[in-house]
Amino acid sequence: MTSKEFLPYLKCVGTGPKRNRDLSKEEMKTVMRAFLKKEVLPEQIAAFLLGWRVKGESIEEFSGAIEVFDEFVKHTPLPHAIEFGYPYDGKVKNPYIFPLTAKYLQPFDIHFSLHGGLLQPAKEGTTLKEICEHTTLPDNIHYFDRNEYFPELYEFSTIREKLGLRSSFNTIEKLLGITQSETAIIGAFHKPFIEKYIKLFKDRYKKLIIIKGNEGTPEIFSKCSITIIENNEITEIKVDPKEFDITYKKSTERISLDSALSQVSNPTPSFLQLAKLNAAVILFLTNRVATIEEGYKKL
């Protein structure tokens, strides 16, 4: 595709409310391939990303983009690992808890599949990549860097940074099937995204779990809902740390990378309790125990 041939696709998202229209799945696949193969100008990519976000994305468009991602992602099968979907804009007010959670789950042979990369707009938090690169991870955590598993999308980082705004990629980059896992756990912040994730990912995993967790991550710091999709059935449960006598107080100010790393290496008793609860939830979600309470007692 040439830059001139791309103009009709750009007009779909860049001509205003009266003339904009949703692209078909095949049209979006054409657009994504052109982007990832660098067949169009960076300015056109930026314009499309901004217009697409403003227009509002359809499930068909998202699905087309994800199917093209499948063509480029370098897969490393770990079929018994759980794939976790973390946002690429980082965490701002609280540390990451997954290294401690994973340690609790080592005796149960539960493996974490994690992927991260450079910070993406717009939250400007501490990234999963920074934590993984500055922490000694337990053996049951497998981290994959975007620069290696999907370099074509990695190269969009500069454009996204210059835009400085959340893009449509933020929604679809969290679960990419790198390890071809049967179970995936993804974080969500707003309820509409739970509905989108169900439509986009329920057929890509045997079991899809959506945790309305801390800062859009699949980490539980306070009372939250968990949606479980399996065999085309949707169930929802609630988890409240207070019911386990956990009194951890979330930060109200921005947390630095050093502070986040310190909390992981020298956790407070309440933070360890939270990690234990997160591990108990995963034991329950993977059918190792009948209840979260049973899992918490086992740990």
Side-chain angles (χ1 to χ4, degrees):
M1 179 184 292
T2 65
S3 57
K4 186 174 182 179
E5 291 170 337
F6 179 70
L7 288 177
Y9 300 96
L10 184 55
K11 289 179 180 179
C12 292
V13 301
T15 53
K18 292 184 178 180
R19 293 182 179 271
N20 283 350
R21 68 168 177 85
D22 292 340
L23 283 75
S24 69
K25 180 186 283 190
E26 290 305 315
E27 286 176 323
M28 182 52 69
K29 289 170 79 169
T30 298
V31 168
M32 281 297 116
R33 289 193 188 103
F35 283 3
L36 297 173
K37 292 180 179 179
K38 298 182 179 179
E39 294 176 346
V40 295
L41 298 172
E43 293 85 353
Q44 290 179 308
I45 294 174
F48 186 92
L49 289 178
L50 182 58
W52 188 21
R53 177 68 176 163
V54 172
K55 174 186 75 67
E57 313 94 339
S58 72
I59 294 299
E60 282 288 294
E61 290 171 338
F62 275 148
S63 297
I66 290 171
E67 288 182 15
V68 172
F69 286 179
D70 286 340
E71 299 170 9
F72 288 82
V73 168
K74 296 177 182 176
H75 297 99
T76 303
L78 289 171
H80 299 298
I82 301 170
E83 181 180 355
F84 285 80
Y86 279 78
Y88 276 64
D89 58 359
K91 292 182 74 172
V92 175
K93 294 184 177 180
N94 286 282
Y96 287 84
I97 205 167
F98 69 87
L100 300 175
T101 301
K103 284 183 180 180
Y104 275 114
L105 294 172
Q106 277 182 308
F108 299 89
D109 198 31
I110 292 177
H111 290 254
F112 285 42
S113 167
L114 302 175
H115 58 90
L118 296 177
L119 178 67
Q120 303 299 332
K123 197 161 55 180
E124 298 185 357
T126 298
T127 65
L128 186 90
K129 173 184 172 71
E130 290 174 307
I131 297 299
C132 288
E133 290 184 347
H134 293 87
T135 304
T136 300
L137 300 173
D139 293 339
N140 58 333
I141 289 181
H142 309 269
Y143 171 73
F144 300 88
D145 195 278
R146 175 166 295 171
N147 190 32
E148 297 176 356
Y149 78 81
F150 197 174
E152 294 85 359
L153 185 58
Y154 174 86
E155 293 183 11
F156 275 74
S157 299
T158 301
I159 293 175
R160 294 171 68 178
E161 182 183 2
K162 288 180 178 179
L163 277 176
L165 301 170
R166 178 184 172 89
S167 75
S168 305
F169 285 149
N170 290 60
T171 301
I172 54 177
E173 66 188 354
K174 291 164 72 173
L175 286 180
L176 295 175
I178 299 166
T179 49
Q180 299 179 340
S181 303
E182 294 184 348
T183 300
I185 302 179
I186 188 172
F189 187 75
H190 299 293
K191 189 171 182 179
F193 282 94
I194 295 176
E195 298 170 357
K196 287 181 181 180
Y197 291 151
I198 292 173
K199 291 177 181 177
L200 289 172
F201 299 117
K202 69 179 180 65
D203 295 326
R204 293 172 65 85
Y205 300 90
K206 286 189 176 181
K207 191 170 192 175
L208 174 66
I209 299 156
I210 306 168
I211 297 179
K212 202 168 183 293
N214 178 248
E215 299 192 50
T217 71
E219 298 189 340
I220 299 169
F221 276 66
S222 58
K223 185 177 180 179
C224 70
S225 62
I226 300 176
T227 304
I228 306 163
I229 305 95
E230 187 174 22
N231 297 324
N232 289 319
E233 293 185 2
I234 301 175
T235 57
E236 184 178 298
I237 63 173
K238 302 286 186 181
V239 177
D240 187 351
K242 291 182 180 179
E243 294 180 357
F244 295 83
D245 296 322
I246 300 172
T247 57
Y248 177 82
K249 291 185 178 180
K250 295 188 292 181
S251 173
T252 58
E253 299 181 359
R254 179 175 291 271
I255 188 170
S256 68
L257 173 60
D258 287 342
S259 296
L261 293 171
S262 176
Q263 183 71 302
V264 171
S265 59
N266 299 290
T268 62
S270 60
F271 197 62
L272 275 176
Q273 285 180 303
L274 263 184
K276 183 178 176 180
L277 176 59
N278 276 264
V281 170
I282 293 173
L283 285 178
F284 170 73
L285 293 172
T286 56
N287 303 319
R288 261 71 167 192
V289 293
T291 65
I292 296 172
E293 290 77 10
E294 179 189 341
Y296 194 75
K297 289 177 182 178
K298 275 193 172 185
L299 297 167

